[in-house]
Each structure stands twice: as structure tokens, then as C-alpha cells.
């Protein structure tokens, strides 16, 4: 195992430009468990938790910028987040555990790329973007375009997530919904997670965003379901159609934790409940 | 007096109270078990990783055993290490030691073992459905009447399954063995319930090579619940062998993933119940029970678990024509062992579900049905032991009152008609026989020792360990309250087999019931013999008589006669009784059960220490609720859980509102408390779900996936 | 690598593998045995310590995480006024059973009473939801913390 602590952010960019197969260590709550269980072997570890540029929550014009090594505790405690994006504040209350919230980082949760990652469905529903930087330049990628497969994303080896960007008005005038179904009320891995925003006018659903976790190789937006529902009243929604589109957009599996039939039906039930709220 | 504080609270908080892993010895090595990942087969080849210096390691295998490669107790059929044929996943192949703990871990993880695999039985149903897997001795209870069932009687027939349960003590199993070649002794410090079991185990593996084996408890034992009853003997055997071979102290502490996969669990059971109920009188007239347990690869403790399970399987009901058959079935899994309840939770899981089923069938309220069938004075157990009090009925009546069951039952039924979510309320009753079954205590011949020094310090020597249940606080309390002596001058000594007589294992809810009461008797005896009112004064004025050593041996009541072959007689002299009601909320979207409120009423006789008793009940009840609701250990196709991520223990946010009441506390007798809280919570949850939805689930735990499946099938 | 941090109010420097678990550093290099290993995955809280005043699971933190920061363990907390108050409360309620999880609960409770301290059962449950206990059923732990909240005001 090789361990490197970059002097500063520029040093970090140099290092990842030159090294192969590295793991960026922020809070370590995912990496250390994987190393312990032998899932990650002989890694090149690059420590980034000390780099001030990568953490913190700021307002900039119309956006909220969350540094990728910001801890979940800081996000939950943040007045800026509570004020502008209360969905993030409320849905992360029981994330992992209060002890893990102190160390775990938002960037780590995203970059680790688990299909069950808790923060991703929430950010997807808010149309979040990621700022991804390398030595040479930075670019912005919508979170919905970030993953391309199971634990695969669009970053090159010499890039890292530096910021998470959410529009200040992402939630404005929307009704929000978040439900995580786990095996218990704390310290639980999601079996199904759903985050949603909807705008209803004169009983018509004018706009709807639905994002789900633990139902695919990576958390996703249900664009086809959204498109079908938009513009309709509750009575106009045919749930057979919803099921049809849903089956095109989620591929739940059976694993140690749960069964695919259960996951599927819970997803349908929660969508229905959200629409009825 | 009743609420004497435990003496170990602050040092446990500030970190000064030591557990096995907190002790170090000079020149100490670390040990680890190399175990089989194959369920059944022969070892073809072991390949150690190449970039290590093998001379730095000490390794032991069966060839290194000077004594016998058989764990001597309880049933000697389990080897310490694989001799020839690997019989289960997790079976120990070698013990390996090295001075660097983390390097050792890597070494073991990188070791490759190749097997010639044989067919293996690994599933619970696979094991218990096939009669060919039955082995060992059958046990039966025959209380039949030779009468044919009346054709009018309502027949109910169901099969109930219960799963493994993991004790999940927070401190994993661990041991330090220290060989002293000069003195020819093996000193073993181990987190274990029964130091004398461990002593026998280490003596067996070492044979004549050491003169004395001494087992001592560390200051703290971080939970046990039965899981540290027999496995420690195997662990200590191997660590002692490593210490013997290397000539150095060896510390072996299991990592959680190893501990959860290879140590003993609660026996899975298959209990088939047939009952015939008179539709006029609503009384169950006849019952046939087929009780099967999955022992794992070896018997070890299973005959004893089976015996207790069978003796509790009729539940709290009098059924004149009963036949119970108990059998052991084997599988290629680690031997199952003791876990709080010891066969009784499985028994009540089946019978309490069955009672609600019959009640539903004949359209009687579950409470009324229980009232009609609960045994009364004059009734008898299937063993012919007479029922001598109606305390079980008192528990039931009290909990029905406390929970406002009848009103809630009606309210929920109305509410459920108009809501997609459902509310439910369920009952269960249970009991637990105190002490060893039948003649067990007679055979144990437990002996205690008490010394009184010149400064009036009283030292109590017992083999019973304090694993958190407060044994050392309450045993001391029972003695000094009886004899009249200040608490600060009366202490239970850390169990050490060379200093204390064998007062038996810390199991079977016997610590207060047998040993505590024995201490009380000794206290009264001393008081009588020496004729004092105040012991301190007496010691001051009779210095010549001290220090003084007194022994006492437990002699069972001669009227307690039990034939272990026919299961006839008095299986347990005294029973503790309990009843509970649980209220749940069922979320239709997620199929999850939310625990709302739990009312529990227990009769354990006199409470030696109210706060400790309440703590025991609170902890045990939550374990019982976990058993019924979330603790899922083995998934067919995926195997056993690997750690606390997936073995779901309740957290602080998963609790119901808890109400616990003790009744009949004015009794003179302190009865067993340790295990009974395990017997009633899960069955009442199952009944509450039926109450809420009309659906019976025949397996634990009541995880949402199972509930969802059952609801779909019903559609 | 040289790592410097404050441990129970004292500045310390050690030469250690930066990836070595903070739990092992505390137990092996400083002989502070209060924090325990139970699950090794951050799932039970038996290894809880304070890092810059906030509770963390030290079994999945690395030594490097302590660099330049303040680490407090039960050995240090138990000497503070608030720590002693909390210990008295746990003592009175007879909450302790096997005690293996207690250092972890002590740290989490200390943090809650110090930074919030409201006598609210739901808040207390949430603050302790990263700590698992198998013996007590949690009830008496809640009683102890409620009592501590009352007395610390």
C-alpha cells in the first residue's frame, strides 16, 4: 500500500496526473471497510481530507456549492442548506449514524458509487451538478450523466469531484418527498430509496422529478415515468402505464439484503403515495 | 437495600475495566484460527502465501495434540481441529500464531486451501425436512390417553420454523493462554461463562503434558447470552496448544466476521403441531408435537437444548392427551449451541402461534381461548408434574389489564377497515423452568466457598461469572443481606478454578435461583452456628476464630424426582411465568412492522435487586423482539451474514414504548430471570401481525420481504 | 509518518503508518484501552472517540485523520466535570451490564449533553443511534442521559 499526502491542492493534481489506480481518502468510512474485507487490495492511497479548498458550503449567485470533502454532519448542520434546500437537510437526518456522519463525506458517497448510496437520489431529484477538476481544467457534469455503469463513472484517472452544485431555487414551489426503506431506523443500507419533487396546479401535476436508489446499477431518475405523469391529474394516471415505464427504468435484484419483487412493489407503492400526497 | 448499586459502573465507563483484549503479557504472540470455507469434503492442499518467513509462525494441527482431539463436554463428538473429513464451514483446521497481529491476519487471509468437495446440507429446511438427517437419541414425552379423537373435534395442523439467532455479544470471543514450563502449568484468561468447562477442555487437549490447568475470568466479560458456554473450550484448547508449542503466551481474539460465522448459534427448529379442540368447550383435548432441531455437524449441547425445548413445548396449556417427540437432525454447519432460552423460545414460537390459529379457526378471541386452556391448580404438565399455582394466569390477567387489550382490539378492528396501513395487537404467554433439567443439579453438586478474614472482609468464591447480568453484585447482596453485613465488606472473587470450588456453569437461569439461594442458606447457617447478631462485632471479639473458611454443597430437594429416560416427574422444581401484549403498526407501502408499545408482566418471585432485574428484563425482551422482527442470519442461496452491517440488531430508534411489571414479588423465593424474557416477545409480534392483517407467518423473523410475499400469496 | 495531535489535552507526536487505524493507535501506542473493537466496520460505536469535539468511530478512521486535531477518549472525558456528572448518573440508574459498549455510549452522551443537553427522549435516542447495546435494551441508558441533562442545567 502506498500512501501520499499532497502538500496542497496543486500538488494533488500533479500526483493524480501521474499515478495509476489511486483511491482518494477523505473520511475513509467506505474505503477502510473495503480494505478490511479484502475488496480493495494494495491500494495507492491519496489523502485529501486536509485540503481546505475541497470542503465547505458556499452561496455563489444562484447556486449552493458544497465542497466534496464536506462531512454529512456539516451538511446537516448547515444553515445555508436548511434555508435553501431543506430536502437535503431533512432527508439526511438518519443517514448512516451520527458517528459516521461526522467522518463520511458527500464526495465519498458519490465517488464510491454504491448503487445504494443515500445522497445520490436526493441530489438527482434536485438536478445537481458536479464540478470535476484535473490539473488542466474543470468541467461541470450533471449528476444524472455522471454514472455509466456499476461503480463506473465518467471521470478520467486524473480527475476528482471538487464540488457539488445545487441551484438555490431547486426546491422552490415544489412539494418534496423522501423515503428510504432500510432494515432498521439507523445504521441501515437502503433496500429502496426514492426522492421526489412535484408541482401541482389545479390538480394537474405540472412538474415531477423522481429519483430512485438501490434499484439499478446506480441511482437514477425515472425520466419515462416522469414524462408520462407530467400534465396529468391523479385520476388520469393509469398505474398500469406507470408500471410499464417503471419496468423499463429499474432492474431491482435479489441479494443478501432483500428480494427483487419486494423492491419493485415498494417502489410502486411509494410513487403512488407521493403522487397522492 | 433492594436497589444496591453495581460496583462496576464507573470503571466500565472510564475504560479502566479490563476485558480480554485489554490484557497483555510479555513476549506474547497473537493467534488466529485457520478454518474451512468448504462445507463438507477433504482437504487436498494447503498453500501458504510465499512472501512470509514461515519460521516466524507457530502452527498447530491435530498431530500436535498430546491429549485427545475431542472436546470432552458436553457430548464428546466434536474434534478441536479437522482430523480427516471437513464436516462444516468454519471447522478449525489449524491454529496459527505470530508476534504481529495484523501480519498474521493477512497471512491467514492469503492462505489458500483446496478441497475435494462432497455434497453438503447447509439449508435449514434441507436439514429438517429430511428424516435421513436425524441422528442421536430421540426424546419423548408420553402423556397419551389411548383414546381416539372425537370426530367433532376441530383439527389444526401446522409446521413452524424458527431460524438461527446470533448472540451478538459486543465483545467477541477471546482468550489468552500462558504456558509456564517451569511450573508445568497452563494459565488461561478467557471470556467465558463456565470456567470449569474450559478447564476440562484444556486438560483434554493437553493430556498429561501439564500438571495443572488454571482458568481465570478477566475483570469484564462483554456479554455472552449462552454463546460463551461451550465454544470457549475449543478456543482455549487451541490457544493453549499454541502456547505450549511456542513456549510463549498466546492471545487469540476473534474478529467479528469470524465470530459471527463460526461460533455457536441458537438452534433452528422445525416444530410440527397437531391439535384437536372441542368446539363446545373450546378446550384443546389432544396434542401431538414433533420437535426437530438442526444441531449443525455435531451434537455438543444439542441433547440438552432438545430436552428443555421438548419440556416447554406444550406451552402454558393443559392438554390431557399429549405426545411430544424430540429429535436431532444434523447438517454441515457449525454446531449450534446455547442462547438465552435454550430451546424454549422455539417451543413458544410454535405453540403461541398455534393457539392464535386455533382461536381464529373456531372464532374465539385469543385472550378468551388462552383463559379457557391455561393450566390451573391440579392440572399437570405432560411429565405429570402438577401445577401448584396460578401465577401464569395472574400474569395474563395483569397484562391484559395493563395494555387495555380488549378495547384496543376492538378499536383496531374498526380502524383497519378504513385504512390501508393496519394496527395490530397480539398476546403471548410463556414460562421457564429454573436451573438444570431434572436431576441435573443433583449431578452438578454445586459447591460454594466463603471466607471471613480477621478484618471481617467476606470473600465469596463461586465459579459463576458476571457477564453483565450483575451476578457478582446480586450474589454478594444475597449473602450480606441474609447475614447482616456491610456491602463494602462482602465481595465475590474473580472466578479462578484453582481458588474456587465448582459451583457449576453460569447458565440455565440458575445463578440466583440455585447459587444465590445456596449463599443465603449458608449465611443463615453461619448465623445459627456462631450465634451472632452482628458479624462485624463478632469477628472483632472472636479474632481467634478467624480467618474462617466455609463450604456448602447444593443438595436438591429429595422430593424432586425426574426420570430422564421417560421424561416423567418433576423436570423443574420452580417455574418463572410471564405474559405479554405487543402493539404494532403495519405500513402497507413498505410492509414493515413498527413496534409501538410493549406490555410485559413477569413473575420471577422475589426481586433481589429491582434495578438489575428490570435491566435484565429490558435487555432480554429487546433480544426477543429482535428474534421475531429483524435478526436474519441465514439466507438460502447467500449463506450466513458476515457482520453487524447485515445482521440487524435493534438500534435506539427501533424500540417500542416499553412497559414491564413484576408481580408476586412478595414471595420468599428468588426464581430464574435470565432467560424467560426471550420466550414471549417474538410470538406476540407474530400474533399481532395476524391480528392486523389476518395473515399468519410461520417463520421468523417477520421481515418485510416475508410479509410482502405472504400478502401477495393471499391475493 | 510523523503525526502530531492533541490527545486528552496533551500534545503528542508519533511515528506511525498513516493508514493505521486510529483505534489501534490509541490502544497500542498510547495504551488507552477504553475504546473497544467490536465490529470493525463502524456499525456499533464501541470504538467511539471525539475528534475535534465530535464523536467518530475510530475503527474506520486512520491515524492521518488525527493530524493537527484534538482527540479525546473516555480516559480524558471521565476527568472532566461534565464527564463525572454523567458517570454519576449512569451509576445511579444501575444502567451498566457487561459494559463493553459503555465507553462508546459515554462519549456519545457526553457530546450530546455538552452541545445540546435538552431533556428530550427523541433527541437523545437519535444522538445515541450509532451505538449498539445488546445487554440493556437501552432504556436505562436513556434514563441516565435524561438525568444528566436535568442535572447539567
Amino acid at each position: 500500500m502506498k500512501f501520499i499526502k499532497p502538500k496542497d491542492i496543486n500538488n494533488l493534481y500533479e500526483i493524480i496526473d501521474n499515478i495509476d489506480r489511486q483511491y482518494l481518502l477523505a473520511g475513509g468510512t467506505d474505503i477502510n471497510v473495503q480494505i478490511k474485507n479484502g475488496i480493495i487490495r494494495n491500494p495507492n492511497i491519496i489523502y485529501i481530507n486536509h485540503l481546505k479548498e475541497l470542503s465547505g458550503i458556499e452561496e455563489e449567485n444562484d447556486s449552493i456549492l458544497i465542497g466534496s470533502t464536506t462531512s454529512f454532519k456539516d451538511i446537516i448542520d448547515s444553515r445555508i442548506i436548511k434555508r435553501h434546500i431543506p430536502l437535503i437537510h431533512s432527508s439526511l437526518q438518519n443517514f448512516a449514524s451520527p458517528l459516521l456522519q461526522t467522518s463520511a463525506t458527500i464526495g465519498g458517497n458519490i465517488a464510491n458509487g454504491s448503487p445504494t448510496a443515500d445522497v445520490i437520489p436526493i441530489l438527482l431529484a434536485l438536478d445537481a451538478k458536479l464540478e470535476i477538476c484535473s490539473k488542466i481544467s474543470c468541467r461541470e457534469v450533471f449528476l444524472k450523466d455522471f454514472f455509466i455503469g456499476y461503480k463506473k463513472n465518467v471521470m478520467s484517472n486524473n480527475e476528482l469531484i471538487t464540488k457539488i452544485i445545487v441551484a438555490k431555487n431547486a426546491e422552490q414551489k415544489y412539494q418534496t418527498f423522501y423515503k428510504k426503506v432500510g432494515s432498521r431506523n439507523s445504521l441501515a443500507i437502503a433496500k429502496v430509496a426514492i426522492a421526489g419533487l412535484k408541482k401541482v396546479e389545479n390538480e394537474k401535476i405540472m412538474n415531477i422529478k423522481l429519483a430512485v436508489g438501490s434499484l439499478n446499477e446506480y441511482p437514477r431518475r425515472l425520466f419515462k415515468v416522469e414524462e408520462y405523469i407530467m400534465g396529468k391529474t391523479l385520476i388520469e394516471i393509469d398505474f398500469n402505464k406507470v408500471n410499464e415505464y417503471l419496468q423499463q427504468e429499474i432492474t431491482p435484484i435479489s441479494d443478501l439484503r432483500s428480494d427483487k419483487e419486494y423492491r419493485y412493489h415498494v417502489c410502486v407503492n411509494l410513487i403512488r403515495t407521493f403522487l397522492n400526497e | 437495600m433492594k436497589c444496591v448499586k453495581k460496583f462496576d459502573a464507573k470503571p466500565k465507563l472510564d475504560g479502566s475495566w479490563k476485558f480480554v483484549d485489554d490484557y497483555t503479557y510479555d513476549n506474547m504472540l497473537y493467534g488466529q484460527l485457520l478454518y474451512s470455507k468448504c462445507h463438507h469434503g477433504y482437504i487436498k492442499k494447503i498453500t501458504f502465501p510465499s512472501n512470509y518467513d514461515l519460521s516466524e509462525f507457530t502452527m498447530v494441527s491435530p498431530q500436535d495434540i498430546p491429549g485427545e482431539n475431542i472436546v470432552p463436554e458436553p457430548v464428546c463428538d466434536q474434534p478441536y481441529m479437522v482430523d480427516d473429513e471437513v464436516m462444516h464451514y468454519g471447522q478449525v483446521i489449524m491454529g496459527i500464531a505470530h508476534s504481529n497481529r495484523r501480519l498474521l491476519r493477512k497471512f491467514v487471509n492469503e492462505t489458500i486451501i483446496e478441497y475435494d468437495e462432497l455434497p453438503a446440507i447447509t439449508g435449514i429446511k434441507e436439514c429438517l425436512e429430511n428424516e435421513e438427517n436425524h441422528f442421536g437419541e430421540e426424546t419423548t414425552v408420553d402423556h397419551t390417553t389411548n383414546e381416539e379423537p372425537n370426530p367433532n373435534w376441530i383439527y389444526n395442523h401446522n409446521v413452524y420454523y424458527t431460524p438461527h439467532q446470533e448472540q451478538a455479544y459486543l465483545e467477541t470471543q477471546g482468550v489468552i493462554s500462558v504456558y509456564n514450563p517451569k511450573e508445568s502449568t497452563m494459565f488461561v484468561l478467557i471470556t467465558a461463562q463456565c470456567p470449569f468447562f474450559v478447564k476440562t477442555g484444556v486438560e483434554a487437549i493437553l493430556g498429561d503434558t501439564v500438571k495443572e490447568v488454571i482458568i481465570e475470568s478477566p475483570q469484564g466479560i462483554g456479554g455472552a447470552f449462552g454463546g460463551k458456554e461451550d465454544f470457549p473450550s475449543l478456543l482455549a484448547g487451541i490457544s493453549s496448544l499454541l502456547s505450549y508449542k511456542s513456549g510463549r503466551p498466546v492471545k487469540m481474539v476473534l474478529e467479528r466476521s469470524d465470530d459471527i460465522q463460526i461460533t455457536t448459534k441458537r438452534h433452528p427448529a422445525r416444530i410440527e403441531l397437531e391439535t384437536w379442540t372441542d368446539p363446545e368447550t373450546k378446550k384443546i383435548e389432544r396434542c401431538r408435537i414433533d420437535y426437530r432441531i438442526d444441531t449443525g455437524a455435531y451434537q455438543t449441547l444439542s441433547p440438552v437444548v432438545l430436552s428443555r425445548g421438548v419440556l416447554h413445548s406444550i406451552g402454558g396449556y393443559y392438554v390431557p392427551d399429549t405426545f411430544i417427540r424430540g429429535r436431532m437432525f444434523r447438517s454441515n454447519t457449525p454446531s449450534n449451541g446455547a442462547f438465552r432460552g435454550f430451546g424454549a423460545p422455539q417451543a413458544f414460537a410454535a405453540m403461541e402461534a398455534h393457539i392464535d390459529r386455533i382461536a381464529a379457526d373456531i372464532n374465539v378471541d385469543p385472550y378468551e381461548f388462552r383463559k379457557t386452556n391455561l393450566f390451573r391448580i391440579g392440572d399437570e404438565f405432560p411429565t405429570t408434574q402438577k401445577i401448584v399455582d396460578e401465577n401464569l394466569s395472574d400474569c395474563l390477567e395483569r397484562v391484559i389489564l395493563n395494555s387495555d387489550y380488549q378495547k384496543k382490539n376492538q378499536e383496531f378492528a374498526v380502524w383497519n377497515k378504513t385504512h390501508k396501513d393496519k394496527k395490530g395487537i397480539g398476546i403471548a404467554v410463556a414460562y421457564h423452568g429454573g436451573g438444570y433439567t431434572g436431576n441435573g443439579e443433583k449431578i452438578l453438586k454445586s459447591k460454594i466457598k466463603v471466607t471471613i478474614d480477621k478484618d471481617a472482609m467476606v470473600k465469596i468464591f463461586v465459579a459463576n461469572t458476571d457477564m453483565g447480568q450483575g451476578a457478582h453484585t446480586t450474589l454478594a447482596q444475597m449473602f450480606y443481606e441474609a447475614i447482616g453485613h456491610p456491602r463494602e465488606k462482602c465481595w465475590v472473587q474473580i472466578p479462578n478454578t484453582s481458588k474456587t470450588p465448582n459451583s457449576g456453569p453460569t447458565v440455565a437461569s440458575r445463578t440466583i435461583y440455585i447459587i444465590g439461594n445456596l449463599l443465603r442458606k449458608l449465611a443463615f447457617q453461619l448465623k445459627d452456628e456462631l450465634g451472632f447478631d452482628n458479624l462485624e462485632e463478632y469477628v472483632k471479639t472472636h479474632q481467634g476464630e478467624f480467618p474462617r473458611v466455609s463450604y456448602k454443597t447444593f443438595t436438591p430437594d429429595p422430593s424432586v424426582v425426574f426420570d430422564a429416560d421417560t421424561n416423567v416427574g418433576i423436570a423443574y422444581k420452580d417455574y418463572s411465568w410471564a405474559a405479554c401484549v405487543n402493539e404494532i403498526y403495519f405500513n402497507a407501502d413498505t410492509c414493515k412492522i413498527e413496534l409501538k408499545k410493549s406490555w410485559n408482566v413477569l413473575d420471577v418471585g422475589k426481586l433481589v435487586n429491582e434495578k438489575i432485574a428490570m435491566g435484565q428484563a429490558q435487555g432480554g425482551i429487546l433480544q426477543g423482539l429482535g428474534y421475531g422482527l429483524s435478526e436474519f442470519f441465514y439466507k438460502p442461496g447467500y449463506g450466513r451474514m458476515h457482520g453487524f452491517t447485515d445482521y440487524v440488531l435493534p438500534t435506539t430508534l427501533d424500540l417500542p414504548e416499553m412497559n414491564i411489571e413484576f408481580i408476586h414479588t412478595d414471595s420468599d423465593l428468588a426464581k430464574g430471570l435470565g432467560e424467560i424474557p426471550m420466550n414471549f416477545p417474538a410470538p406476540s409480534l407474530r400474533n399481532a401481525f395476524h391480528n392486523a392483517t389476518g395473515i399468519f407467518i410461520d417463520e421468523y423473523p417477520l421481515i418485510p420481504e416475508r410479509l410482502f410475499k405472504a400478502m401477495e400469496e393471499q391475493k | 509518518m510523523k503525526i502530531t495531535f492533541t490527545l486528552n489535552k496533551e500534545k503528542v507526536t508519533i511515528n506511525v503508518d498513516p493508514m493505521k487505524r486510529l483505534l489501534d493507535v490509541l490502544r497500542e501506542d498510547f495504551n488507552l484501552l477504553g475504546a473497544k473493537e467490536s465490529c470493525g466496520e463502524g456499525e456499533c460505536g464501541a470504538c467511539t472517540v471525539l475528534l475535534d469535539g465530535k464523536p467518530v468511530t475510530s475503527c474506520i478512521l486512520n491515524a492521518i485523520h488525527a493530524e493537527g486535531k484534538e482527540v479525546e477518549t473516555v480516559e480524558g472525558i471521565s476527568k472532566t466535570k461534565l464527564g463525572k456528572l454523567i458517570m454519576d448518573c449512569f451509576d445511579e440508574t444501575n444502567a451498566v451490564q457487561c459494559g463493553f459498549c459503555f465507553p462508546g455510549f459515554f462519549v456519545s452522551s457526553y457530546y450530546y449533553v455538552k452541545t445540546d443537553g435538552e431533556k428530550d427522549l427523541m433527541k437523545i435516542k437519535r444522538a445515541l443511534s450509532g451505538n449498539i447495546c445488546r445487554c440493556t435494551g437501552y432504556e436505562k441508558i436513556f434514563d441516565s442521559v435524561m438525568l444528566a441533562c436535568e442535572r447539567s442545567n
Side-chain angles (χ1 to χ4, degrees), chain A residues 33 36-38 41-42 94 177 179-189 191 253-259 261-263 265-270 272-274 276, chain B residues 105-106 109-110 255 257 420 587-592 594 630 632 635 638-642 644-651 653-655 703-706 708-709 712:
Chain A
V33 178
K36 172 183 169 294
N37 291 335
R41 283 173 189 240
N42 293 322
N94 288 341
F177 180 84
K179 185 86 181 165
K180 168 181 164 178
V181 180
S183 52
R184 54 187 173 180
N185 294 327
S186 176
L187 286 167
I189 294 181
K191 295 180 185 181
I253 58 167
S254 295
D255 60 14
L256 189 64
R257 260 165 234 135
S258 193
D259 301 332
E261 298 84 1
Y262 170 78
R263 286 181 153 129
H265 277 94
V266 170
C267 181
V268 173
N269 291 340
L270 292 176
R272 192 185 268 122
T273 296
F274 176 38
N276 281 308
Chain B
R105 179 115 206 123
K106 277 193 83 200
N109 283 349
E110 290 169 17
E255 284 230 348
S257 55
K420 70 170 178 176
N587 182 309
D589 276 348
T590 61
C591 288
K592 282 178 81 172
E594 197 191 315
S630 65
F632 192 44
K635 184 165 184 178
Y638 298 93
R640 300 185 155 209
M641 299 297 156
H642 283 220
F644 283 177
T645 307
D646 294 309
Y647 186 76
V648 179
L649 301 168
T651 68
L653 296 178
D654 300 302
L655 312 173
I703 50 171
E705 288 78 5
R706 205 163 249 161
F708 165 73
K709 218 174 182 172
E712 287 294 294

Side-chain angles (χ1 to χ4, degrees), chain B residues 284-315:
Chain B
I284 306 170
E285 292 293 338
R286 178 180 161 109
C287 177
R288 298 291 180 263
I289 303 178
D290 176 27
Y291 188 122
R292 304 181 192 182
I293 53 173
D294 175 348
T295 66
Y298 300 102
Q299 282 189 49
T300 62
L301 267 175
S302 303
V304 201
V305 173
L306 183 65
S307 163
R308 184 176 277 273
V310 155
L311 292 168
H312 286 66
S313 59
I314 195 62

Side-chain angles (χ1 to χ4, degrees), chain C residues 113-127:
Chain C
V113 179
K114 190 170 188 194
T115 59
D116 189 325
E118 193 188 330
K119 195 180 165 189
D120 178 313
L121 184 60
M122 198 57 222
K123 279 177 115 179
I124 291 170
K125 285 183 176 183
R126 203 165 260 142

Side-chain angles (χ1 to χ4, degrees), chain B residues 113-189:
Chain B
I113 309 179
E114 291 163 60
Y115 307 89
D116 269 322
E117 292 195 27
L118 293 169
I121 297 158
T122 56
I124 298 174
K125 291 198 171 151
E126 196 189 345
C127 166
L128 293 171
E129 287 297 331
N130 190 345
E131 305 252 352
E132 278 177 38
N133 298 325
H134 160 52
F135 76 135
E137 279 187 45
E138 206 174 284
T139 181
T140 55
V141 187
D142 188 342
H143 193 277
T144 51
T145 59
N146 289 322
E147 282 170 28
E148 284 303 306
N150 186 316
N152 291 331
W153 289 348
I154 310 289
Y155 175 65
N156 288 85
H157 177 203
N158 282 95
V159 174
Y160 302 91
Y161 268 96
T162 59
H164 295 92
Q165 191 184 11
E166 159 62 41
Q167 295 87 350
Y169 28 73
L170 266 275
E171 182 206 21
T172 56
Q173 307 241 13
V175 60
I176 305 177
S177 290
V178 186
Y179 174 53
N180 184 330
K182 254 199 294 176
E183 312 276 319
S184 182
T185 56
M186 183 66 71
F187 173 81
V188 178
L189 189 74

Side-chain angles (χ1 to χ4, degrees), chain B residues 16-282:
Chain B
S16 57
W17 200 254
K18 288 171 104 156
F19 297 81
V20 165
D21 203 13
D22 301 328
Y23 292 81
T24 10
Y25 287 78
D26 284 336
N27 207 23
M28 191 172 79
L29 295 173
Y30 294 91
Q32 201 173 315
L33 301 174
L34 176 68
Y35 59 82
S36 164
K37 304 278 167 83
C38 163
H39 299 281
H40 185 206
Y42 291 93
I43 299 169
K44 231 171 32 185
K45 190 169 171 214
I46 299 178
T47 314
F48 294 119
S50 52
N51 45 335
Y52 294 84
D53 181 358
L54 289 182
S55 68
E56 290 177 7
F57 295 84
T58 307
M59 300 191 188
V60 294
S61 64
Q63 290 91 285
D64 297 291
I65 296 179
E68 295 288 319
N69 185 19
I70 286 277
V71 184
E73 280 175 327
V75 167
C76 30
D77 67 340
Q78 182 185 32
Y80 286 93
M81 293 182 273
V82 174
D83 236 327
D84 187 25
E85 196 180 341
V86 171
M87 293 306 292
H88 64 86
Y89 181 105
Q91 190 164 20
V92 181
I93 296 169
M94 295 177 84
I96 306 180
H98 191 278
S99 56
N100 183 319
R101 192 174 196 165
R102 281 180 281 283
L103 183 143
L104 173 63
R105 179 115 206 123
K106 277 193 83 200
F107 178 81
V108 171
N109 283 349
E110 290 169 17
T111 298
I112 299 172
I113 309 179
E114 291 163 60
Y115 307 89
D116 269 322
E117 292 195 27
L118 293 169
I121 297 158
T122 56
I124 298 174
K125 291 198 171 151
E126 196 189 345
C127 166
L128 293 171
E129 287 297 331
N130 190 345
E131 305 252 352
E132 278 177 38
N133 298 325
H134 160 52
F135 76 135
E137 279 187 45
E138 206 174 284
T139 181
T140 55
V141 187
D142 188 342
H143 193 277
T144 51
T145 59
N146 289 322
E147 282 170 28
E148 284 303 306
N150 186 316
N152 291 331
W153 289 348
I154 310 289
Y155 175 65
N156 288 85
H157 177 203
N158 282 95
V159 174
Y160 302 91
Y161 268 96
T162 59
H164 295 92
Q165 191 184 11
E166 159 62 41
Q167 295 87 350
Y169 28 73
L170 266 275
E171 182 206 21
T172 56
Q173 307 241 13
V175 60
I176 305 177
S177 290
V178 186
Y179 174 53
N180 184 330
K182 254 199 294 176
E183 312 276 319
S184 182
T185 56
M186 183 66 71
F187 173 81
V188 178
L189 189 74
I190 185 163
T191 177
Q193 293 168 229
C194 318
F196 279 92
F197 280 3
V198 178
K199 180 167 191 279
T200 313
V202 175
E203 284 167 351
I205 200 175
L206 292 180
D208 293 326
T209 52
V210 297
K211 261 198 272 168
E212 196 187 359
V213 171
I214 304 162
I215 314 294
E216 186 171 290
S217 285
Q219 217 175 11
I221 294 176
F225 315 112
K228 295 176 181 173
E229 180 174 334
D230 62 340
F231 190 82
S233 303
L234 186 143
L235 195 65
I238 295 173
S239 70
S240 300
L241 195 59
L242 280 168
S243 183
Y244 176 71
K245 188 169 182 186
S246 64
R248 296 166 69 169
V250 173
K251 177 195 275 195
M252 193 148 64
V253 174
L254 295 189
E255 284 230 348
R256 180 63 62 185
S257 55
D258 292 337
D259 192 309
I260 205 171
Q261 287 182 87
I262 74 170
T263 65
T264 60
K265 311 290 164 231
R266 185 183 298 289
H267 288 71
R270 176 195 186 278
I271 301 178
E272 189 171 350
L273 285 173
E274 289 178 280
T275 52
W276 289 257
T277 308
D278 184 328
E280 306 293 315
T281 61
K282 320 282 192 224

